[in-house]
Amino acid sequence: QQQVKQSPQSLIVQKGGISIINCAYENTAFDYFPWYQQFPGKGPALLIAIRPDVSEKKEGRFTISFNKSAKQFSLHIMDSQPGDSATYFCAASPENTDKLIFGTGTRLQVFP
Amino acid sequence: DGGITQSPKYLFRKEGQNVTLSCEQNLNHDAMYWYRQDPGQGLRLIYYSQIVNDFQKGDIAEGYSVSREKKESFPLTVTSAQKNPTAFYLCASSIVRYSNQPQHFGDGTRLSIL
């Protein structure tokens, strides 16, 4: 079964620090890699996404780094804020499908 | 405001009972999805539909059923055959198939066993 492995399971960061969440995949036929942010009791919301033809994408404090040869991608949150405290999911979409395969999530806590 | 509305927010099921979760979207999206979320397991796909009157099983369809009679609506029935239904259920939609458009999620229904 296609899988996306996400780590760490939980992460504690001080305000102003950098949060880094990593994901790895095995299937090379993925062509879309979104990250979702979920607050308690809410549905996930799209944060940022990347396609495999670029190695990095930045939107504000959020950056995706993509390493196609290593089949890894990561989310970096710069200047982490308490309001960033949430669960983050990486996902990957198999080519020519509209399905998403999700990682198991990372619970981020940012302390002031 | 456009979005996805899931109801009810909380639902309780008795043994042997079927329950139906509602999902309505006014985004004019073609595709709709149902996911189940359990702690530590991420989101797992139950069913998806790319067009009215058509739907496909996802990875964990056993014990669930769906219908897609209208573009805006994609209700999920949790049948008595689903022996472990306690979970957070999420509905999502996206604009066009095969185009890598993002999926937009509702705020979920939490189902518990009485």
Side-chain angles (χ1 to χ4, degrees):
Chain A
Q1 187 177 358
Q2 298 171 333
Q3 278 191 328
V4 176
K5 297 180 180 179
Q6 183 171 349
S7 63
Q9 188 174 10
S10 63
L11 182 61
I12 298 174
V13 172
Q14 201 161 17
K15 179 182 176 182
I18 302 173
S19 304
I20 302 174
I21 304 170
N22 300 300
C23 285
Y25 61 98
E26 297 177 350
N27 189 333
T28 56
F30 289 138
D31 64 356
Y32 177 64
F33 301 88
W35 285 88
Y36 283 84
Q37 179 189 55
Q38 184 180 29
F39 293 103
K42 297 292 187 180
L46 179 68
L47 192 61
I48 187 172
I50 197 168
R51 289 180 170 78
D53 52 346
V54 297
S55 60
E56 186 175 281
K57 183 175 181 180
K58 183 176 180 180
E59 290 183 2
R61 295 184 294 109
F62 301 93
T63 300
I64 300 178
S65 297
F66 185 81
N67 186 329
K68 190 173 182 178
S69 61
K71 298 178 192 174
Q72 295 175 346
F73 58 110
S74 60
L75 176 69
H76 295 232
I77 306 174
M78 311 300 286
D79 187 26
S80 299
Q81 299 296 312
D84 297 330
S85 297
T87 299
Y88 293 81
F89 292 95
C90 64
S93 179
E95 284 179 345
N96 299 321
T97 77
D98 46 15
K99 296 170 67 174
L100 287 176
I101 299 169
F102 284 85
T104 51
T106 296
R107 186 185 176 202
L108 171 65
Q109 295 174 276
V110 181
F111 285 95
Chain B
D1 285 339
I4 299 176
T5 302
Q6 290 188 242
S7 62
K9 191 169 180 65
Y10 300 96
L11 187 59
F12 298 91
R13 195 191 89 168
K14 295 179 182 178
E15 291 289 338
Q17 185 182 41
N18 294 350
V19 292
T20 297
L21 285 60
S22 171
C23 178
E24 302 278 332
Q25 56 102 355
N26 60 4
L27 299 167
N28 198 32
H29 284 175
D30 303 296
M32 297 187 74
Y33 314 81
W34 274 105
Y35 292 90
R36 171 179 171 140
Q37 185 174 20
D38 296 281
Q41 293 196 46
L43 281 70
R44 293 181 291 167
L45 183 64
I46 305 172
Y47 267 99
Y48 64 104
S49 168
Q50 294 157 331
I51 195 170
V52 173
N53 292 324
D54 186 52
F55 47 82
Q56 307 295 327
K57 292 182 179 180
D59 300 318
I60 55 166
E62 185 175 351
Y64 300 97
S65 66
V66 294
S67 63
R68 185 90 185 272
E69 298 177 0
K70 298 186 301 182
K71 186 175 183 178
E72 301 80 17
S73 179
F74 191 40
L76 173 74
T77 297
V78 184
T79 75
S80 57
Q82 173 49 247
K83 298 306 179 187
N84 183 24
T86 298
F88 191 48
Y89 290 87
L90 289 159
C91 179
S93 69
S94 64
I95 190 168
V96 176
R97 64 184 291 188
Y98 303 157
S99 65
N100 290 332
Q101 293 298 311
Q103 292 184 14
H104 300 262
F105 286 84
D107 281 339
T109 293
R110 189 166 297 280
L111 176 62
S112 303
I113 293 289
L114 277 179

